[in-house]
Amino acid sequence: MGNSNGKNRTHPVADHEPDYAYKDYGYDYEYDQRNDYDSGWHPDKTYGEAYFHEHNNDSPLTKRRSCTDVLCLILFLVFLGGWGAVAFLGIQGGDISKVIYPTDSQGNICGKGEMADRQALLMFDLTQCLNPAVLVTGCLTTHVCVNKCPDENYSPLGEAKLGTNQQQIKERMKPFCKPVSDEQFKQDVETLVQKEICPPWYLKSSEVLGRCFPVSMKAEDNDSNEEVVVKRVDTGGDHDITKGEIEGSLYRLGAFLNIRQFGERIFMDLKETYWMIGLALIGACILSFVWIVLMRFLASFMVWVSILTVFLGIGGLLGYSGYRLYFVWLSTDPETHKNIFQLNWTPEIVDDFLKQRDTWMAFTIILGIIFLVIVLLFLFLRQRIMIAIALIEQGSKAVGQMFSSLFFPIIPFLLQLVVVGWFLVVALYLASWGEQEYRVAFKNDRDCSQFEGCSQTVNGSDSVPYQSNDTCTPEEFKPCIDSCPEAMCQFVKYTKNKDYSWMQFVNVFGLYWGVFFFSAFGEIVLAGVFSQWYWTFNKKTDLPDCSLGTAMWNATVFHLGTIAFGSLLIAIIRMIRTMLEYVERKCKRFNNDLTKCLIWCCKCCLWCLEKFMRFINRNAYIMCAVKSTNFCKSAKEAFNLLMRNLVRVVVLDSVVDFLLFLGKLVIVLLTGVASYMTFSGQIPEIKDDIPSLNYFFTPIVFIVIGSYFIASAFFGVYNMAVDTLFLCFLEDLERNDGSVEKPYYMSKSLKKILGKMEKSVNESRHRSP
């Protein structure tokens, strides 16, 4: 790929030297291959000075290391101290049980304190949840902490009116009444119900997120929605309670609690299959491990298997989508001609969605485009794919000889889990740090303004009647309740502390910085391992016994400051992106197209900036692991080295990442197909052992997502190995010339890759006009 014109070479040569532009140097190991690559560099470009001034053949690995970016490490430790102070204040002022456990009408936390033996929340009259105001005021009915949810349908008020023994009625309803003294409980049943100490009726319920929900009464036909569940005479109200009202109340209440029947079914499916999901993820770990081990010996074969599997998988999905589209297109069912905006948001929306003609048309078009793109990539990048496979083979050798590196990602992953867990705990404590907020509500829109005690003092003197949704306190509002029983001072939520915003800001930033810090720690350790492998001249006999331990020691003792510096840059960018998303949500109410356009442009620029900085950081960590230089110097040297070899970067970097991504995709496809066949009943031998599920795709989705993250952890080692070897490879080309005095550290296989790259670029140059 050299050029006879010396000014266009990275390394100028004398005029009398022969023109090597079209010779295949991949197999001529005596030739100084530094003279044979052209990245478009010339002396006027400021991409730093190449390493030709080095007159020795010593490895660039620094033997005596020094601490780097100490100030950044101090800054990180100071921030951790501040984050700890925020956590201390949150723990001192907050109560996490307020967020985790439900709260009754008096603000008592179910399952805590005096209510320790009453862990579930029961609502007396669910039909009150039909009011749209439930989204603001909550469900306007009495909330009581109970020991367990009702296991029968019963109406104490109705039984009392029928003349049933009062003591028997009290024994059955007492577990679902407010905890009152024995003296108060001696009142008759009608009085207890009227004073809202006990419920007039209750239904058989199940516990969901600490709250008692009546078991689903969904009927097969709409007429049965009018079926009476509790008669008017038994409710103490003015109408019968029907199935339709109960179902509607459940949906209204679900909006207030951010829970729907769909979510409940998902939760129940996960509860039934959690152990199967765990086994499937363990299987994904084993499959990923076996795949990586096989790549050590059969790298080229495994990569081609990945390519073929993805090709057949996408092609098969395209064929299946076309098959379903054909039959849906011929269907006369009017449901198939609806669009997505005509579907009702019900628990069956997924089934309805898969019946639509537009759904399968969209699937077919999308898969067809993906299939075409993959085919074109394979056709036009086949030469580069061959080169990338050869480099992956070198990475396989490095991973094989440094086998412990495969298990190392578990350490930063566990540390990241600790950071996320700490963030969640602090966030919950901060969210619960506030005062109880009560608001006024009137049942049946009753006007209580004329009653004595139903007014509040404003500005120290003026008396103003209470209005719906006014704030109140139970003690001050009690006279109004005594004179107007329809009035309520209902607990709604915990108000935020005045310092909540900046404290959560610190907490979120700590999450980002902590997660990126340990991710960078993993990268710099792996870079140290694989750079040690590369810069060892005799890789069969001279490799140190514990390269991973040495790399971890160097990263922990000398380079935590560099890690903190690089992770801080990414954390700042991610925090700006988060703030921009917050601004976007706030601006949605204005529906301004210009604002939307500007925000999307900013989001796109920040996304690109973060990707670029991740690329810079990764290569800076490699340089730091090799030379023990600070972040800025490492980033500058790595960037200049890559720019001096831009053609090679373009040829290899993206293609290698793409091929390794295909490997991850194969593992995800295999686990996804196996889980689909299992949960859809396609395997007769185990069909009877699979639990009955509301949606069989629920465990499949979790298995596929978990498998992707597991495969990413294993293949991340390969990515880091290839990136490290590639950067070392480029420096080796500049530092040495392949002579006896300055031999290459690279293997002959890597020299062959170099020759293939030069040949590939030369052929492209021949084809160019």
Side-chain angles (χ1 to χ4, degrees):
M1 124 181 220
N3 201 321
S4 58
N5 189 351
K7 71 177 182 179
N8 205 31
R9 294 181 178 181
T10 307
H11 318 296
V13 295
D15 293 336
H16 65 272
E17 289 184 340
D19 187 353
Y20 294 110
Y22 309 120
K23 182 178 177 182
D24 183 2
Y25 305 117
Y27 305 95
D28 181 5
Y29 303 124
E30 299 303 322
Y31 171 67
D32 183 356
Q33 300 187 49
R34 296 174 304 165
N35 297 329
D36 188 52
Y37 64 96
D38 178 8
S39 62
W41 181 91
H42 59 80
D44 294 333
K45 290 191 177 181
T46 55
Y47 291 138
E49 185 179 3
Y51 295 104
F52 301 127
H53 63 280
E54 302 288 346
H55 299 296
N56 59 68
N57 187 238
D58 293 339
S59 163
L61 282 173
T62 301
K63 302 297 187 296
R64 293 180 58 84
R65 292 184 174 267
S66 58
C67 296
T68 55
D69 299 297
V70 178
L71 289 178
C72 288
L73 178 59
I74 294 174
L75 178 64
F76 182 65
L77 294 177
V78 170
F79 175 81
L80 290 181
W83 195 12
V86 168
F88 175 77
L89 293 174
I91 294 171
Q92 287 288 101
D95 184 357
I96 199 171
S97 59
K98 295 177 182 178
V99 181
I100 298 177
Y101 299 100
T103 307
D104 68 9
S105 298
Q106 281 70 49
N108 300 313
I109 302 171
C110 299
K112 303 292 290 185
E114 296 179 355
M115 301 293 174
D117 58 338
R118 293 171 168 253
Q119 300 178 352
L121 185 72
L122 176 69
M123 285 155 280
F124 279 6
D125 186 1
L126 269 176
T127 59
Q128 297 296 324
C129 301
L130 283 170
N131 192 328
V134 68
L135 296 172
V136 178
T137 63
C139 198
L140 301 180
T141 185
T142 303
H143 297 56
V144 175
C145 297
V146 296
N147 180 262
K148 64 176 183 177
C149 296
D151 55 5
E152 62 175 348
N153 297 337
Y154 187 63
S155 174
L157 183 62
E159 292 292 330
K161 290 182 178 180
L162 292 175
T164 305
N165 183 275
Q166 291 266 326
Q167 191 59 33
Q168 293 180 358
I169 298 174
K170 289 183 179 181
E171 288 179 0
R172 292 181 67 177
M173 73 177 185
K174 187 174 182 178
F176 311 109
C177 298
K178 293 180 180 178
V180 295
S181 65
D182 294 338
E183 187 66 29
Q184 287 180 287
F185 203 68
K186 288 181 180 178
Q187 303 174 83
D188 59 71
V189 173
E190 288 87 346
T191 303
L192 292 173
V193 170
Q194 184 180 5
K195 292 185 175 181
E196 297 189 344
I197 295 175
C198 296
W201 53 274
Y202 52 80
L203 302 174
K204 182 178 179 180
S205 306
S206 60
E207 185 178 337
V208 180
L209 299 181
R211 295 166 175 83
C212 297
F213 286 87
V215 293
S216 181
M217 298 180 177
K218 191 158 187 177
E220 296 298 328
D221 55 84
N222 295 329
D223 293 338
S224 58
N225 281 335
E226 302 300 324
E227 182 180 336
V228 175
V229 178
V230 185
K231 295 182 179 179
R232 177 177 56 186
V233 69
D234 298 336
T235 65
D238 56 0
H239 68 286
D240 297 330
I241 305 299
T242 65
K243 282 186 177 181
E245 282 188 293
I246 297 296
E247 284 295 323
S249 300
L250 288 174
Y251 270 77
R252 289 283 187 183
L253 185 61
F256 178 66
L257 300 173
N258 197 23
I259 180 174
R260 287 276 194 260
Q261 191 174 9
F262 179 75
E264 182 181 348
R265 291 184 178 185
I266 295 290
F267 178 78
M268 295 304 296
D269 287 346
L270 292 176
K271 186 177 179 181
E272 290 288 333
T273 60
Y274 72 93
W275 63 275
M276 303 180 74
I277 295 174
L279 289 177
L281 294 181
I282 292 174
C285 285
I286 296 173
L287 180 60
S288 300
F289 181 75
V290 171
W291 193 275
I292 293 296
V293 172
L294 289 176
M295 285 189 69
R296 165 65 182 90
F297 305 100
L298 304 167
S300 179
F301 174 77
M302 298 302 292
V303 171
W304 283 114
V305 167
S306 301
I307 294 173
L308 182 62
T309 303
V310 170
F311 184 80
L312 295 177
I314 299 297
L317 289 174
L318 175 61
Y320 178 75
S321 296
Y323 172 81
R324 289 293 300 268
L325 176 62
Y326 174 76
F327 285 100
V328 170
W329 198 279
L330 296 179
S331 174
T332 57
D333 186 356
E335 292 292 321
T336 62
H337 299 281
K338 290 183 177 180
N339 60 53
I340 190 172
F341 300 106
Q342 295 174 308
L343 299 180
N344 296 318
W345 188 262
T346 65
E348 288 75 29
I349 188 172
V350 175
D351 295 332
D352 295 339
F353 179 72
L354 294 178
K355 292 178 182 178
Q356 308 308 307
R357 182 176 65 182
D358 292 348
T359 299
W360 293 106
M361 182 182 293
F363 284 166
T364 303
I365 292 173
I366 294 171
L367 289 170
I369 293 173
I370 294 174
F371 186 78
L372 179 61
V373 169
I374 291 176
V375 171
L376 293 177
L377 284 175
F378 291 157
L379 288 177
F380 291 101
L381 298 180
R382 62 188 184 279
Q383 187 73 28
R384 295 184 180 184
I385 288 174
M386 295 295 296
I387 298 171
I389 289 175
L391 187 58
I392 291 175
E393 288 179 336
Q394 295 303 302
S396 300
K397 292 180 180 179
V399 173
Q401 289 187 269
M402 303 290 189
F403 202 68
S404 58
S405 62
L406 278 179
F407 303 97
F408 169 73
I410 297 174
I411 296 176
F413 175 74
L414 292 177
L415 293 173
Q416 287 176 324
L417 286 183
V418 171
V419 173
V420 173
W422 175 256
F423 161 78
L424 292 175
V425 170
V426 174
L428 288 174
Y429 272 110
L430 291 177
S432 64
W433 186 10
E435 299 296 326
Q436 296 171 340
E437 180 179 306
Y438 297 84
R439 290 193 176 272
V440 175
F442 300 100
K443 293 182 180 179
N444 303 319
D445 296 327
R446 178 66 185 274
D447 183 9
C448 297
S449 59
Q450 72 275 15
F451 289 93
E452 184 179 354
C454 289
S455 59
Q456 57 183 330
T457 301
V458 180
N459 298 327
S461 59
D462 299 335
S463 181
V464 178
Y466 279 109
Q467 301 294 324
S468 180
N469 209 36
D470 284 347
T471 57
C472 59
T473 59
E475 295 78 12
E476 295 178 356
F477 199 75
K478 191 174 184 305
C480 183
I481 296 176
D482 293 338
S483 57
C484 182
E486 286 82 2
M488 299 178 64
C489 185
Q490 181 84 14
F491 169 78
V492 177
K493 62 180 180 179
Y494 291 95
T495 57
K496 297 288 190 300
N497 182 276
K498 59 183 177 62
D499 297 320
Y500 174 81
S501 297
W502 72 264
M503 286 186 169
Q504 280 291 27
F505 180 92
V506 172
N507 193 35
V508 173
F509 188 79
L511 169 69
Y512 290 151
W513 199 355
V515 168
F516 296 143
F517 180 89
F518 289 116
S519 175
F521 176 77
E523 289 183 350
I524 204 168
V525 169
L526 290 175
V529 171
F530 295 119
S531 62
Q532 178 72 56
W533 180 87
Y534 186 93
W535 294 111
T536 299
F537 196 79
N538 192 331
K539 297 175 175 55
K540 293 183 178 180
T541 59
D542 295 342
L543 284 174
D545 295 330
C546 191
S547 296
L548 180 60
T550 302
M552 290 180 65
W553 170 265
N554 290 338
T556 305
V557 175
F558 299 107
H559 305 313
L560 287 182
T562 299
I563 294 171
F565 194 165
S567 56
L568 174 62
L569 296 177
I570 304 298
I572 291 173
I573 297 172
R574 180 60 62 87
M575 196 68 201
I576 295 173
R577 291 180 63 187
T578 302
M579 295 169 63
L580 190 63
E581 289 175 0
Y582 174 79
V583 171
E584 182 184 22
R585 286 196 298 270
K586 290 295 184 181
C587 292
K588 277 184 177 179
R589 68 185 69 176
F590 303 109
N591 197 27
N592 188 310
D593 291 337
L594 177 60
T595 304
K596 287 181 180 179
C597 181
L598 292 174
I599 289 177
W600 273 103
C601 289
C602 292
K603 288 172 67 176
C604 180
C605 292
L606 287 171
W607 181 84
C608 294
L609 178 61
E610 182 174 331
K611 288 293 183 182
F612 176 74
M613 285 308 304
R614 283 180 179 273
F615 175 78
I616 293 295
N617 283 12
R618 192 178 183 90
N619 289 285
Y621 296 146
I622 295 172
M623 277 295 185
C624 178
V626 174
K627 301 183 177 182
S628 189
T629 50
N630 61 48
F631 179 85
C632 292
K633 186 175 182 181
S634 299
K636 179 182 177 181
E637 289 194 10
F639 182 77
N640 287 336
L641 180 59
L642 291 171
M643 291 303 295
R644 291 197 300 268
N645 297 271
L646 188 58
V647 171
R648 292 192 174 94
V649 176
V650 173
V651 168
L652 280 181
D653 191 58
S654 300
V655 179
V656 170
D657 289 343
F658 175 68
L659 293 180
L660 293 177
F661 171 75
L662 292 184
K664 291 188 286 187
L665 201 59
V666 169
I667 292 173
V668 172
L669 285 174
L670 291 176
T671 53
V673 169
S675 57
Y676 173 82
M677 294 183 66
T678 300
F679 290 105
S680 63
Q682 302 293 324
I683 306 177
E685 291 77 6
I686 61 173
K687 182 177 181 180
D688 296 335
D689 299 325
I690 303 299
S692 179
L693 303 175
N694 295 296
Y695 308 109
F696 75 88
F697 62 79
T698 300
I700 298 175
V701 170
F702 280 85
I703 289 171
V704 167
I705 294 174
S707 299
Y708 178 78
F709 284 110
I710 289 170
S712 297
F714 279 94
F715 278 86
V717 177
Y718 255 87
N719 270 318
M720 199 65 206
V722 171
D723 288 347
T724 303
L725 296 182
F726 184 58
L727 206 63
C728 294
F729 164 74
L730 295 180
E731 181 165 344
D732 192 14
L733 283 175
E734 292 191 350
R735 184 178 291 273
N736 303 302
D737 57 12
S739 63
V740 177
E741 295 78 14
K742 300 178 68 176
Y744 290 126
Y745 279 81
M746 72 180 78
S747 64
K748 289 186 177 182
S749 300
L750 274 176
K751 294 177 185 176
K752 180 184 280 189
I753 295 173
L754 174 64
K756 288 180 179 179
M757 281 193 291
E758 313 305 343
K759 182 178 180 181
S760 174
V761 175
N762 288 333
E763 289 176 352
S764 300
R765 192 176 286 158
H766 274 302
R767 289 193 295 267
S768 300

